[in-house]
Amino acid sequence: MSWQITLLLFSAAFEVVLLLAIRNRLRPTLAGPFCLGLLLNALWALNYALDLSSTSLEGKLWMLHVRSTFLPFYTVVWFETAFRFSLGRPLLRGRLLAAALVVPVVTAVLCWVPGGRDLLYYNPWIDTSGAFPLLRVTSGSWTPVYNFYNYLTGLAAIVVLFRMRPRLRAERISWFLFVTGSLLALIADILYELNLPP
């Protein structure tokens, strides 16, 4: 097993252990979305490790379909986490929550309905030029909508974090780690979408 796959499996296990260790130590308003974010991270890492382990097109496509079912909810969960971390109260409830979930739900549903996947991605092939056989696809017509939603939600989370003025040293460290992690994730995703490896 390669070190990359080992690292992804370790990351998934670490996220689950962290979730179990801190879920009762967080403020009640923050615990729900933060733990859900950790769970989504763990699922992504495990799914991607299995994807890298597979060499067949069918196996890689199956992993992509599964990943496309839960990953669309990632940025909205982290936005809510950032909001609660910064302002101490929930934002997404009722109609606002329903509106925020439209793009993730449509994306997840498209992955499983006949003909829907072509709106997300089509023309899959395996790129064997690197250390791992990687699945490559052509983006469908829904992908720009999904990407715009993700970038907008990610930027909104960063703006909300910058509105926070941490007073205590522990708050400043948490704030710095949260902002740094959010910025790195957003930059890495943009570089990936532009086919510019970091």
Side-chain angles (χ1 to χ4, degrees), residues 18 23 35 49 60 71 93 102 107 116 123 125 135 145 169 185:
L18 185 61
R23 66 189 163 133
C35 289
K60 288 184 174 298
L71 208 53
R93 294 180 290 189
V102 168
T107 305
N123 194 26
W125 59 282
L135 178 66
V145 174
R169 183 175 187 274

Side-chain angles (χ1 to χ4, degrees), residues 109-125:
V109 169
L110 284 175
C111 194
W112 297 102
V113 297
R117 290 180 188 150
D118 290 341
L119 295 173
L120 293 172
Y121 42 80
Y122 59 94
N123 194 26
W125 59 282

Side-chain angles (χ1 to χ4, degrees), residues 168-184:
L168 302 173
R169 183 175 187 274
E171 285 180 343
R172 285 193 299 272
I173 292 170
S174 297
W175 178 86
F176 175 77
L177 292 172
F178 212 134
V179 169
T180 303
S182 298
L183 284 171
L184 287 174

Side-chain angles (χ1 to χ4, degrees), residues 40 62 64-74 76 100-121 142-143 145-146 149-150:
L40 290 173
W62 176 253
L64 178 61
H65 301 330
V66 171
R67 192 165 54 245
S68 297
T69 304
F70 65 83
L71 208 53
F73 299 93
Y74 187 77
V76 72
L101 291 176
V102 168
V103 171
V105 168
V106 168
T107 305
V109 169
L110 284 175
C111 194
W112 297 102
V113 297
R117 290 180 188 150
D118 290 341
L119 295 173
L120 293 172
Y121 42 80
W142 180 256
T143 302
V145 174
Y146 170 69
Y149 171 84
N150 277 339

Side-chain angles (χ1 to χ4, degrees), residues 7 16 36 44 51 60 74 78 122 149 153 161 170 188:
L7 188 61
V16 171
L36 182 55
W44 173 83
D51 184 340
K60 288 184 174 298
Y74 187 77
W78 280 116
Y122 59 94
Y149 171 84
T153 309
L161 286 170

